Amino acid sequence: MAADDKQTALRPTAPRPTAPQPTAPQILARCRELVRPPLAAAIERLHPWPREMAAFSLGWCEVGGRPGSSAHGKGVRQALTVLCAEAAGAPGETAVAGAVAVELIHTFSLLHDDIMDGDETRRQRETVWKAYGTGPAVLAGDALFALALETLATSQNANSGGAIRKLSEALNKLVRGQAEDLLFETRPWTGPDAVQLHEYRSMADHKTGALLGCAAALGAVLAGAPSSTVTALARAGQHLGVAFQAVDDLLGMWGDPEVTGKPVHSDLRRRKKTFPALAALTKDSAASRRLITLLESPAALDDDTVRHAAELIEEAGGRSATLDEASHHVDMASACLRSVPLATTAVGEILTLLRFLITRRM
């Protein structure tokens, strides 16, 4: 080798520029753009009336069908389906039918959940039952439920049968979790029949974790991944669901409605058993004792009282305990992702999404 050639070979080369890691909002937007056209095509197949209510619930139109300008949802579940297909080594397009089905089921669950909770606003606008009536909102939810199953059943993916089984299992768990959540409202705050934190975790695992776990599993199933990969991704999604529910409880108590689109203190006003409140009551402190007095009072909770209750929950450690709970489940989800071979880039995007979801203010 000539001297000049040796010098060239030994000269350090500049590092190759790497593409910047996408942010969580960018990841969510990419997945929404992939899923939106087939989601819109699916909803277009509905009867005009439930079709309008479905579009209204998604922020696509106003009452009467005028084009909407409201903020859309984050699309966490559909994104998880796409990303898990990519993590299993397939193109995201492979799992689009699963992503559409998951988004339809999620929207159905919100329509019915708002009715059961009596919530009048979501994403800074009227809920479907408030805008159209309870009966029509139930009908729209039923239509979305049926459409989700039809979307998977008619997909051209060879693994659609396994995907339908996963979705059916998740639906049974979701109903169980919702039943537990409603029954919690009839139970006392103290005494032998009081709701325990382990019962809350079971409820959250079914009510929220089941669908997020299903979203992750559907991506892997439709990608043709081995059962070990499907199981690991499903467990990661379930842990994410428990974390997500805990953070939702926090946002319902301390979030800014202008940012979250959720009515603040509505859970407290209804004396709903949320993780922050239950965690606060496990402490033997003056704040927790004053909190019990407020929550067990027969009098209606006005604005000042619910604000004071939220302060007592924070003072008793309910807020910090809930953040710890969410962080623990994100760590468990991360461990599930590390337990099987997965595509590095997709795993990086899933982890970015996990961190975003427990610190979100959206």
Side-chain angles (χ1 to χ4, degrees):
M1 181 182 290
D4 287 348
D5 292 337
K6 289 181 181 178
Q7 288 291 82
T8 301
L10 294 172
R11 187 178 301 128
T13 58
R16 292 182 180 179
T18 58
Q21 175 75 23
T23 65
Q26 289 170 335
I27 294 166
L28 291 168
R30 173 177 74 84
C31 295
R32 281 197 305 269
E33 288 170 9
L34 178 63
V35 177
R36 171 68 184 264
L39 176 61
I43 289 176
E44 190 64 27
R45 300 200 300 271
L46 294 175
H47 180 282
W49 197 25
R51 180 173 68 218
E52 179 186 320
M53 288 184 277
F56 175 85
S57 69
L58 290 163
W60 297 355
C61 78
E62 303 299 335
V63 175
R66 301 183 311 279
S69 57
S70 301
H72 48 65
K74 294 178 286 297
V76 172
R77 290 153 190 82
Q78 58 182 282
L80 197 57
T81 302
V82 169
L83 293 174
C84 285
E86 293 173 349
E93 289 82 358
T94 304
V96 161
V100 169
V102 163
E103 190 63 22
L104 292 170
I105 290 296
H106 176 54
T107 306
F108 139 74
S109 70
L110 294 182
L111 264 64
H112 285 196
D113 194 52
D114 286 338
I115 294 169
M116 287 182 274
D117 288 348
D119 285 338
E120 299 184 356
T121 59
R122 180 178 290 277
R123 297 171 190 153
Q124 301 171 356
R125 68 203 304 239
E126 286 185 317
T127 50
V128 175
W129 75 267
K130 186 65 176 175
Y132 291 88
T134 301
V138 171
L139 178 66
D142 292 345
L144 292 169
F145 182 104
L147 185 60
L149 293 175
E150 180 190 349
T151 298
L152 274 181
T154 58
S155 73
Q156 300 302 308
N157 191 295
N159 299 299
S160 61
I164 291 172
R165 285 192 293 274
K166 286 290 181 188
L167 185 60
S168 299
E169 291 168 7
L171 286 166
N172 277 321
K173 291 177 181 177
L174 190 155
V175 170
R176 176 175 174 174
Q178 185 65 50
E180 290 171 346
D181 195 28
L182 288 173
L183 287 170
F184 285 175
E185 296 185 27
T186 67
R187 291 171 60 181
W189 288 99
T190 57
D193 293 328
V195 179
Q196 304 299 313
L197 283 177
H198 70 86
E199 293 178 287
Y200 174 97
R201 292 185 180 100
S202 174
M203 177 277 296
D205 186 53
H206 288 97
K207 179 182 175 181
T208 309
L211 191 53
L212 278 161
C214 176
L218 286 183
V221 168
L222 293 171
S227 59
S228 58
T229 300
V230 174
T231 299
L233 290 173
R235 286 176 178 164
Q238 283 190 270
H239 281 295
L240 172 59
V242 179
F244 196 91
Q245 184 64 56
V247 173
D248 255 15
D249 286 353
L250 285 175
L251 293 177
M253 199 165 294
W254 292 289
D256 180 354
E258 293 299 315
V259 177
T260 65
K262 301 170 186 282
V264 72
H265 294 153
S266 63
D267 287 345
L268 258 181
R269 198 180 304 278
R270 292 171 46 234
R271 295 177 170 87
K272 189 168 182 178
K273 309 299 191 299
T274 60
F275 194 94
L278 293 173
L281 294 181
T282 64
K283 313 295 182 183
D284 183 15
S285 66
S288 64
R289 288 191 289 273
R290 292 199 301 273
L291 177 63
I292 289 171
T293 300
L294 281 181
L295 294 176
E296 292 186 335
S297 168
L301 302 180
D302 58 21
D303 290 347
D304 289 340
T305 306
V306 293
R307 276 195 296 269
H308 183 46
E311 292 168 358
L312 291 173
I313 289 171
E314 183 163 17
E315 185 180 341
R319 184 172 187 164
S320 60
T322 307
L323 287 171
D324 289 344
E325 180 77 6
S327 296
H328 166 72
H329 284 283
V330 167
D331 289 343
M332 294 297 291
S334 301
C336 291
L337 295 174
R338 293 193 299 270
S339 68
V340 290
L342 296 170
T344 305
T345 299
V347 169
E349 293 194 356
I350 295 171
L351 291 172
T352 297
L353 208 56
L354 294 181
R355 290 188 291 270
F356 168 75
L357 291 173
I358 65 163
T359 58
R360 74 191 192 278
R361 297 182 65 246
M362 292 176 64

